[in-house]
Amino acid sequence: MRKIIASIDLGSSTIKIVVAEVLKNKLHVLASSDTHSKGIKNGLVINETDVVKSLHEGIKKIEDMLGLKLNKVIVNVPETDAEFCLGEGITTVTNEEKMVDGKDIVRALQASVYNKVPQTEELVSILPLEFMINEEEVVSDPKKLTANKLSVKTVIATAPKINVHNIIKCFEKLGIEVIDITFGSIGDYAVFEDEELNQKIGAIINLGEDTTTVSIFNKGIITNTEVISIGGANIDNDISFIYKITKLDARRLKENLALAHRRYADASETEEVCNKLGENLKINQYEVTEIVMSRLLEIMNLAKKQINLLTKKEISYIIITGGLTEFTDFSLIIEETFGKNAILGVIKDLGVRNNKYSTALG
């Protein structure tokens, strides 16, 4: 039987869908799509009807591409007001061989959550820090080891129940089952994860339409996250206000003319646009880039401060991704803010070569 996985990233600007197949333990993207979203603000559902319509459009689009029907999906949920706490669980290995199997691991993980999740919170993820065999030997993977008792220490990630349920209800109205939920930043980390990162402490920054999410990872485990209410829409507002043009024209200038940094901006590159007063304006690349650059530096500096608030530990890496990082010369913004201590996380997988797919792919 084919193992096909569908994931959906509900963003304020677009809904990203990635469908992939697992072959020989490798993920192969079958199709990806993005659809304009309505009814979502700062990652939260504010109009259920609009979200359902946007979801229906996006899902139909990907189903037509694949010739397959989506019945089950993995979905990211808002990290707004996310909480993290430590848990410990223990279980007795009950099978005759006394060999740890998947059921024993699940029971230990479930025990670590017992009485840890408040009534107002929804469990998003249980992240194992370490397992222990017979309360003596620490192991990373206990499967198939002989033991009487299996213990585990975990990080428990939760989100406000209302935020999660509002999203799940939208899928239920379309007859689609949400089989798992996750935080977007966990997806982001999974895209760039390797053995080296899994031994270090670092940060992932995702720049989106309405928000910028900053998350701290310790040896591959998310330990803290914060959502800053600033993103690409603020740039659209800046351009629209300064030139007195529509948001649609502002977005077009941002995407088609502006660079991230003024270093290589060319004043001879221009676009014409009519403002709200009926006046024809000729806007050059250098001046619109100045507007974009100013806001990008503000966003990056806010994210930099947030890292210092989220952890007091020394971090070894910073990876910056998300749709807003697709600006030409964005690496110059990173260099100006962080020096050589940060990198642009680039999606290279065939079929999703755009950083806006970071969360959905992960």
Side-chain angles (χ1 to χ4, degrees):
M1 182 180 289
R2 298 176 72 185
K3 187 175 181 182
I4 297 175
I5 302 170
S7 68
I8 298 185
D9 173 17
L10 288 167
S12 300
S13 173
T14 56
I15 293 171
K16 279 78 68 178
I17 304 178
V18 174
V19 180
E21 184 172 13
V22 180
L23 291 170
K24 296 180 181 179
N25 291 322
K26 287 190 177 180
L27 203 65
H28 299 269
V29 174
L30 300 178
S32 62
S33 73
D34 67 313
T35 306
H36 180 65
S37 66
K38 292 181 179 179
I40 298 173
K41 183 71 175 174
N42 293 330
L44 302 173
V45 174
I46 59 170
N47 187 311
E48 191 176 295
T49 302
D50 284 346
V51 174
V52 171
K53 285 180 181 177
S54 298
L55 268 176
H56 177 72
E57 183 182 341
I59 290 168
K60 186 179 184 307
K61 185 176 177 181
I62 202 92
E63 287 178 341
D64 289 345
M65 292 168 70
L66 286 166
L68 296 171
K69 186 163 181 62
L70 297 190
N71 299 310
K72 301 177 181 181
V73 294
I74 301 168
V75 179
N76 75 307
V77 296
E79 291 171 66
T80 305
D81 299 322
E83 296 286 345
F84 301 88
C85 68
L86 295 174
E88 291 188 42
I90 187 168
T91 189
T92 301
V93 180
T94 55
N95 62 70
E96 291 182 7
E97 297 83 7
K98 293 296 179 182
M99 186 178 290
V100 177
D101 60 19
K103 292 178 181 177
D104 299 313
I105 294 171
V106 169
R107 283 200 307 272
L109 291 170
Q110 289 173 335
S112 75
V113 179
Y114 185 69
N115 279 341
K116 288 283 188 179
V117 181
Q119 288 288 327
T120 57
E121 296 286 304
E122 184 72 34
L123 177 65
V124 176
S125 193
I126 312 169
L127 307 160
L129 295 170
E130 63 179 35
F131 292 94
M132 191 174 289
I133 298 296
N134 296 328
E135 301 180 83
E136 293 175 352
E137 181 186 357
V138 175
V139 297
S140 58
D141 184 0
K143 208 167 188 181
K144 296 185 178 180
L145 297 180
T146 303
N148 291 312
K149 290 185 181 293
L150 175 66
S151 312
V152 66
K153 291 182 179 179
T154 61
V155 171
I156 300 163
T158 64
K161 193 169 281 187
I162 188 170
N163 295 351
V164 177
H165 287 193
N166 283 346
I167 285 176
I168 293 175
K169 277 195 295 183
C170 294
F171 285 91
E172 287 175 344
K173 289 194 172 184
L174 293 170
I176 293 174
E177 181 185 355
V178 176
I179 60 168
D180 204 358
I181 57 174
T182 187
F183 287 141
S185 54
I186 294 177
D188 290 333
Y189 182 86
V191 170
F192 306 108
E193 176 184 12
D194 59 31
E195 287 301 318
E196 186 179 352
L197 289 187
N198 284 341
Q199 301 304 316
K200 296 179 177 180
I201 300 172
I204 302 278
I205 301 171
N206 186 301
L207 281 70
E209 176 72 3
D210 285 337
T211 61
T212 296
T213 305
V214 184
S215 303
I216 304 298
F217 287 82
N218 187 339
K219 295 182 178 179
I221 302 294
I222 187 171
T223 58
N224 216 342
T225 189
E226 187 64 46
V227 179
I228 307 169
S229 296
I230 188 170
N234 296 87
I235 296 174
D236 297 345
N237 293 338
D238 293 342
I239 297 170
S240 174
F241 176 77
I242 289 170
Y243 293 118
K244 296 181 176 60
I245 58 178
T246 65
K247 297 280 181 66
L248 193 63
D249 283 334
R251 180 182 286 266
R252 182 172 58 82
L253 287 174
K254 180 184 77 174
E255 293 177 351
N256 298 336
L257 183 63
L259 308 179
H261 197 285
R262 62 172 168 254
R263 185 181 299 176
Y264 300 116
D266 186 352
S268 66
E269 287 281 333
T270 63
E271 289 237 3
E272 290 190 4
V273 64
C274 182
N275 68 13
K276 294 175 182 177
L277 303 175
E279 300 167 335
N280 288 320
L281 306 177
K282 183 178 280 190
I283 298 170
N284 71 60
Q285 188 179 74
Y286 189 89
E287 60 187 24
V288 76
T289 295
E290 287 260 272
I291 299 167
V292 170
M293 179 181 172
S294 175
R295 183 62 82 171
L296 285 176
L297 286 173
E298 179 193 2
I299 294 171
M300 296 295 280
N301 279 306
L302 285 170
K304 186 177 181 180
K305 289 178 183 176
Q306 196 61 56
I307 290 172
N308 294 327
L309 292 172
L310 290 174
T311 182
K312 298 304 177 188
K313 294 181 179 179
E314 183 177 350
I315 62 173
S316 302
Y317 65 87
I318 301 170
I319 299 172
I320 300 155
T321 189
L324 198 56
T325 64
E326 284 291 332
F327 266 112
T328 300
D329 294 337
F330 193 88
S331 57
L332 297 178
I333 292 290
I334 295 175
E335 183 182 327
E336 188 153 326
T337 311
F338 293 100
K340 301 296 182 181
N341 296 325
I343 62 167
L344 176 62
V346 179
I347 307 299
K348 298 178 181 178
D349 297 57
L350 190 66
V352 281
R353 287 179 179 168
N354 189 301
N355 292 350
K356 66 185 176 185
Y357 288 115
S358 174
T359 293
L361 179 64

